Amino acid sequence: MSIIEIIVLALIQGLTEFLPISSSAHLILPSQILGWQDQGLAFDVAVHVGTLIAVIIYFRKEVVEILAAWFKSFGAQGTTDDSKLGWWIILGTIPAAVLGLIFKDLIELYLRSAWVIAITTILFGLLLWYADVKGKQTKTIYQLTWKSALMIGMAQAMAMIPGTSRSGITMTAGLMLGMNKQSAARFSFLLAIPVISMMGLYYTIELALGDHIVDWTTLILGAGLSFLSAYACIFLFLKIIERMGMMPFVIYRLLLGVGLMVFLMM
């Protein structure tokens, strides 16, 4: 990988992992459009580690409180709002973990194409717009029920399809279930922690078992850039949606999807 490819792909991963615009789509497109070679498994691990560290550090207070309450819930303290949120995060992670193992190879084989990305980018962009406009947006993150958490988790599993966007589809589901924008976004980000952790672990095991050449300079640079861009992205995104809602991201998705279709038909 050239230095330009490292910088571009690491920044793309960091910026798009938590925006509702699909990180997988943006990582696939350079190879589809520019003819870049696949960045490789080791680089995937590095940039995922960078984004994981970013979301954990940004939400460190919430993460510590949720973990502490979850462990205490097994003792005399019983359940609290934070411990229930911990259970809902676990519950919301299960569909992606199970369906990911079942359908990963099928999706890799048949759905990683620019046409699929173009269609899903537009389709789920319109769905995000509908949820933003029609959702009641009255519930906070602590008003989630186990049914709502499971439904958001099922929506998250759909993000295996390139162009869907994990953060986009979970926020869409949250808004449709009546959550306000900040709560839908925060639950989506917290839900990302176990999912990205599982992906990182899966890729790490695959990397360890395979015969891969590791360029540590590339990996460290990739992880660092993805961390910085992901942290900045979370900070700015939470401010943008408070003032402007999801519309800027809906417009971007529509322009990207239509532009990609035009490019593919040329």
Side-chain angles (χ1 to χ4, degrees), residues 13 39-52 196 199-208 216 219 222-223 226:
Q13 172 65 29
Q39 60 266 28
L41 187 59
F43 190 79
D44 280 341
V45 173
V47 294
H48 276 88
V49 167
T51 54
L52 176 63
I196 298 175
M199 289 175 62
L201 179 61
Y202 177 85
Y203 287 145
T204 300
I205 293 172
E206 194 173 331
L207 183 65
W216 289 105
L219 301 190
S226 65

Side-chain angles (χ1 to χ4, degrees), residues 119-264:
I119 293 168
T120 54
T121 295
I122 294 171
L123 177 63
F124 288 104
L126 291 172
L127 196 60
L128 176 62
W129 166 79
Y130 181 83
D132 191 28
V133 172
K134 298 296 184 180
K136 293 181 180 179
Q137 300 188 26
T138 57
K139 296 180 182 179
T140 69
I141 195 170
Y142 289 112
Q143 290 176 292
L144 271 176
T145 64
W146 71 268
K147 291 181 181 179
S148 296
L150 185 59
M151 290 176 69
I152 295 173
M154 292 297 293
Q156 180 173 240
M158 295 176 62
M160 293 185 296
I161 303 171
T164 302
S165 171
R166 191 211 61 82
S167 58
I169 195 64
T170 51
M171 289 180 206
T172 297
L175 291 171
M176 284 186 168
L177 291 167
M179 297 178 73
N180 62 52
K181 293 182 182 70
Q182 287 287 328
S183 293
R186 286 181 176 273
F187 188 68
S188 173
F189 293 150
L190 291 171
L191 204 56
I193 294 173
V195 168
I196 298 175
S197 298
M198 287 190 301
M199 289 175 62
L201 179 61
Y202 177 85
Y203 287 145
T204 300
I205 293 172
E206 194 173 331
L207 183 65
L209 295 177
D211 185 18
H212 300 274
I213 299 173
V214 177
D215 181 347
W216 289 105
T217 302
T218 296
L219 301 190
I220 292 170
L221 179 58
L225 288 172
S226 65
F227 163 76
L228 291 173
S229 55
Y231 192 92
C233 173
I234 296 170
F235 175 80
L236 293 172
F237 177 75
L238 291 173
K239 292 188 176 299
I240 289 172
I241 61 170
E242 190 65 37
R243 297 179 181 179
M244 304 173 65
M246 299 293 182
M247 189 53 65
F249 307 101
V250 172
I251 293 172
Y252 175 82
R253 290 185 69 119
L254 296 180
L255 291 175
L256 176 63
V258 171
L260 185 55
M261 283 184 172
V262 171
F263 175 83
L264 293 171

Side-chain angles (χ1 to χ4, degrees), residues 49-147:
V49 167
T51 54
L52 176 63
I53 294 172
V55 70
I56 290 175
I57 290 178
Y58 190 91
F59 291 104
R60 59 192 178 277
K61 184 175 181 292
E62 289 95 327
V63 169
V64 170
E65 290 174 349
I66 291 169
L67 281 174
W70 185 79
F71 280 112
K72 288 180 181 178
S73 68
F74 292 98
Q77 177 176 305
T79 58
T80 64
D81 286 341
D82 281 324
S83 67
K84 284 194 291 185
L85 186 54
W87 282 112
W88 300 165
I89 291 170
I90 293 171
L91 184 62
T93 302
I94 293 172
V98 174
L99 295 178
L101 288 174
I102 295 173
F103 294 109
K104 180 182 180 297
D105 291 338
L106 187 67
I107 289 170
E108 289 279 343
L109 186 61
Y110 294 108
L111 297 181
R112 288 177 67 87
S113 74
W115 272 109
V116 170
I117 291 170
I119 293 168
T120 54
T121 295
I122 294 171
L123 177 63
F124 288 104
L126 291 172
L127 196 60
L128 176 62
W129 166 79
Y130 181 83
D132 191 28
V133 172
K134 298 296 184 180
K136 293 181 180 179
Q137 300 188 26
T138 57
K139 296 180 182 179
T140 69
I141 195 170
Y142 289 112
Q143 290 176 292
L144 271 176
T145 64
W146 71 268
K147 291 181 181 179

